[in-house]
Amino acid sequence: MLVMFLDRSRTEEIARLSHGRLDEVPFAAVLHALALEERTAVLSIQRGPLKKEVFFEDGFVVDCRSNLIHETLGRFMMALGKISAEDLHRTLNVSFERGVRLGEVLQEEGIVTAVELARLLQQNLAKKVLDLFTWRDGSYQIVDEVPATGSPLKMKVPQLVVTGVAKFTSTEEIRRMVDALREAGVFWDHMRQGLLEDLRLSSEQQHLAHLLAQGWGVDEVVAASPIEDQEIFRLLYAFGVLGLIAAAPQRIETGVEAGVEAVPEAAVEMAPAPVSSAEEAAPVTTADEVSSGLSALAEIAAVDPAADDLVPVVAPSTAVVPEFGETDPQPAAEPSEALAQIYLDYRGRDAFDLLGVPETVTMSRLRVAFLAFSERFAPWSFPEAGLADKARDLFLAGAQAFGDLADGERRQALIEGRRSRVESPVTSSMAIETDLLDSEKQFEKGKGEMERGDFEQAVTTLQFAADCDPQNAEYRAELAYCRYLAEPQRLDHAIIELQDVLRLEADCGEANLYLGELLMERDEWQRSEDHLRRANRMLAPDRRPIESLKALAVRRRRG
């Protein structure tokens, strides 16, 4: 099924769903609909034993939680080589015993700085959300009662859609989409052109969008663009999800012709659509930031790594505002570290803590504290967009805190809340979970089943490992090859799957090895040799590529 041609009315209809299935309304469509309607909600998705929750605030993605062990912060850092298994086990125990977040322990022990932690949290969030673009089936629910996450992160959805759709759409699905586009014809929706402001497009991609806006057809754009055909089609696919392009008007009649099956009426709640904020949303997360986690893990996203402006930098002339009552304040931390630290946990502070004032603060002292806070985080003091966005969040949070403390009733409610608050010693994000799904163990189990020749069972086990961690190229390569071993008649399909793996991670040794072996079966000698030689460089001292090259030489001599 194609995820294409989502006009505004269909997007609004999707946003009003209370539940549904991903094989009826795909994840990309639901994600974009909730963002476009500026919803504050939790999108809960389940696919067999796999569970994820994506948290939205005013249309921004701010958090994602799952029951997958490799998506926890600690295991994510291990995959990046940022922490050893021994240090992770030790710091997790400290976190558990003290009832504090792992990130706090990591900073205390000097394993990461506040700036590094902010970047890692951003990368981890991006990876967890991008994985969902590979989910083709499963059920979902949308709940408007959103628990406080404490997350300061914000990601703009349009760039997530472009990255997720372009990177994780299969070649076979792209081919079906191209046929549908050529049959239907395409037009550019100028009413949605403002979405381009949320995207980080290359000059070639901007030129492609300009041609589409001028009314050029698919084949004309392909002929005129220097971009490879496959990449053009993937970008067109993403533009279709965002509603920037649509099928020619005479073709838009039903949900299926529009690229999304008709929305199940039983799933629609007829409650009024939420009112959008009048404030224009400024850019929050760049394309580089969204895909930096992929680049660091396996160079999956073909964009530059995250830059150093992930966290706003405090202007050099400003200083950390001491709490009232401190006669000898501690020296200010390095500016970027100071701001990173407060930005990481400002959502978890109440109004008193955020402005650094006691419960007995007078109005005159409260005004002084608020003005000092506002001067530190005035957005107009930061010319860089990435810094200004985060400064703006803190600036607005300070204004809200001042309003709460200036109002007698709200201040008293905050004080009473402080008195009655009983903090849980360990939150779900701190606990050492024992029921999390471990993709690594499933992968090793599947490889063992392959070695024993139990290919059908191995396919099931490896499929589960790949479902848990769909961005792991090694998992996907082993699964594609195992499917071929179980069903040799699937040779052509297995080759396409392995080519998709290499499109995402060209340096995957296993994918090069298996693709070389399967191309040998089709007597494509030169292509087979090229991939086997790459595999030999990547997998050394593994001798499998050498043995396959020897077999290839024998077959070539026999002709």
Side-chain angles (χ1 to χ4, degrees):
M1 183 188 66
L2 298 178
V3 189
M4 287 294 294
F5 313 142
L6 300 181
D7 60 20
R8 182 63 192 236
S9 63
R10 192 162 303 283
T11 302
E12 292 174 349
E13 185 179 6
I14 292 171
R16 292 196 297 271
L17 296 175
S18 63
H19 62 279
R21 297 193 56 81
L22 295 180
D23 55 357
E24 296 172 343
V25 183
F27 171 71
V30 180
L31 183 75
H32 178 55
L34 293 177
L36 198 63
E37 296 301 307
E38 299 184 3
R39 292 283 294 279
T40 295
V42 179
L43 173 61
S44 299
I45 307 176
Q46 184 159 358
R47 184 187 185 196
L50 309 181
K51 300 177 182 178
K52 290 199 179 190
E53 291 182 327
V54 183
F55 292 76
F56 292 80
E57 288 187 8
D58 299 326
F60 295 110
V61 171
V62 298
D63 200 1
C64 181
R65 300 174 184 175
S66 77
N67 63 343
L68 300 170
I69 192 169
H70 72 273
E71 291 190 340
T72 58
L73 176 62
R75 289 290 288 268
F76 179 74
M77 290 178 61
M78 276 185 58
L80 294 176
K82 300 294 185 181
I83 190 172
S84 67
E86 295 77 12
D87 283 343
L88 176 58
H89 180 72
R90 177 178 53 78
T91 52
L92 277 174
N93 283 331
V94 173
S95 168
F96 183 82
E97 292 169 359
R98 291 174 49 193
V100 299
R101 295 185 182 278
L102 175 63
E104 183 177 333
V105 179
L106 296 175
Q107 290 181 80
E108 288 176 356
E109 299 201 3
I111 296 175
V112 295
T113 65
V115 170
E116 291 169 340
L117 180 59
R119 181 177 289 110
L120 287 167
L121 290 170
Q122 188 90 351
Q123 293 171 354
N124 194 17
L125 174 58
K127 183 182 185 303
K128 287 188 284 188
V129 176
L130 287 171
D131 274 357
L132 287 164
F133 285 89
T134 68
W135 290 25
R136 302 290 187 257
D137 56 73
S139 60
Y140 67 86
Q141 289 186 325
I142 301 172
V143 181
D144 288 325
E145 296 180 4
V146 182
T149 66
S151 170
L153 304 177
K154 284 186 178 181
M155 287 187 169
K156 276 199 169 183
V157 166
Q159 186 60 54
L160 280 171
V161 169
V162 169
T163 302
V165 169
K167 291 295 174 183
F168 302 116
T169 303
S170 69
T171 298
E172 292 182 345
E173 193 170 356
I174 287 293
R175 287 176 179 174
R176 293 196 300 270
M177 182 274 295
V178 172
D179 292 341
L181 279 177
R182 285 178 170 145
E183 177 184 354
V186 175
F187 80 94
W188 182 266
D189 188 348
H190 292 274
M191 297 296 292
R192 305 286 282 275
Q193 185 143 342
L195 289 173
L196 291 177
E197 298 176 1
D198 294 338
L199 303 178
R200 180 72 63 85
L201 299 178
S202 67
S203 58
E204 292 83 2
Q205 290 171 331
Q206 291 175 9
H207 179 62
L208 183 148
H210 175 73
L211 296 180
L212 290 169
Q214 296 301 311
W216 288 42
V218 174
D219 292 329
E220 294 173 308
V221 168
V222 170
S225 176
I227 307 175
E228 292 185 6
D229 292 3
Q230 272 282 323
E231 298 309 311
I232 291 176
F233 296 139
R234 291 178 184 279
L235 188 61
L236 291 177
Y237 207 164
F239 282 173
V241 175
L242 295 175
L244 286 165
I245 63 173
Q250 65 270 20
R251 302 289 301 179
I252 301 179
E253 297 175 1
T254 68
V256 175
E257 290 175 345
V260 175
E261 294 180 6
V263 177
E265 293 183 3
V268 179
E269 288 185 348
M270 300 310 294
V275 178
S276 299
S277 169
E279 179 184 2
E280 180 180 356
V284 174
T285 304
T286 68
D288 294 343
E289 294 170 349
V290 168
S291 54
S292 59
L294 302 179
S295 300
L297 284 171
E299 298 181 0
I300 291 176
V303 295
D304 294 334
D308 289 337
D309 63 355
L310 265 171
V311 180
V313 180
V314 178
S317 60
T318 63
V320 176
V321 178
E323 292 192 7
F324 286 95
E326 288 185 348
T327 56
D328 185 19
Q330 297 296 317
E334 195 275 326
S336 60
E337 277 296 301
L339 185 53
Q341 187 62 66
I342 190 171
Y343 190 78
L344 280 172
D345 65 6
Y346 85 94
R347 295 288 296 274
R349 301 186 183 194
D350 66 15
F352 293 106
D353 291 336
L354 187 63
L355 297 181
V357 296
E359 295 177 3
T360 56
V361 63
T362 63
M363 276 303 300
S364 60
R365 298 302 297 273
L366 177 62
R367 292 190 188 96
V368 171
F370 170 61
L371 291 174
F373 186 94
S374 300
E375 185 177 359
R376 282 182 68 195
F377 303 115
W380 48 86
S381 299
F382 301 89
E384 303 90 341
L387 306 185
D389 298 333
K390 293 173 176 60
R392 186 188 69 157
D393 288 344
L394 292 174
F395 183 86
L396 293 175
Q400 180 64 51
F402 176 77
D404 289 341
L405 298 185
D407 182 279
E409 292 185 5
R410 281 186 283 171
R411 181 197 284 213
Q412 187 58 38
L414 283 172
I415 293 174
E416 292 174 359
R418 281 184 150 201
R419 300 285 185 269
S420 61
R421 186 184 307 146
V422 178
E423 297 186 2
S424 173
V426 180
T427 69
S428 59
S429 62
M430 305 170 197
I432 302 176
E433 302 269 4
T434 58
D435 59 347
L436 295 178
L437 303 178
D438 193 333
S439 59
E440 185 176 346
K441 288 183 179 179
Q442 293 297 317
F443 177 67
E444 293 302 325
K445 179 182 176 183
K447 287 183 66 176
E449 292 165 345
M450 281 183 68
E451 292 171 0
R452 295 193 299 271
D454 189 358
F455 300 130
E456 290 186 3
Q457 182 58 46
V459 166
T460 300
T461 306
L462 291 172
Q463 180 68 69
F464 182 68
D467 287 344
C468 290
D469 192 1
Q471 295 181 44
N472 190 306
E474 184 181 0
Y475 292 6
R476 295 179 61 176
E478 293 288 352
L479 174 61
Y481 188 62
C482 188
R483 281 177 175 154
Y484 162 72
L485 295 176
E487 301 178 67
Q489 68 272 21
R490 298 181 75 258
L491 174 64
D492 292 343
H493 188 78
I495 288 174
I496 291 174
E497 287 182 324
L498 289 167
Q499 289 172 333
D500 275 342
V501 174
L502 289 175
R503 181 179 60 80
L504 298 176
E505 186 177 342
D507 292 336
C508 179
E510 287 77 8
N512 277 287
L513 171 63
Y514 296 144
L515 183 55
E517 292 180 351
L518 297 189
L519 290 172
M520 191 193 314
E521 295 298 318
R522 291 208 309 203
D523 296 338
E524 296 188 33
W525 312 126
Q526 191 57 54
R527 289 182 64 200
S528 173
E529 180 179 350
D530 291 343
H531 285 289
L532 291 175
R533 290 194 180 281
R534 290 191 197 113
N536 188 41
R537 292 194 301 270
M538 298 166 190
L539 296 177
D542 190 332
R543 290 193 57 82
R544 289 179 298 165
I546 296 176
E547 297 302 322
S548 293
L549 283 167
K550 290 179 180 178
L552 174 63
V554 171
R555 294 185 65 160
R556 293 180 84 164
R557 285 197 300 270
R558 292 175 178 173

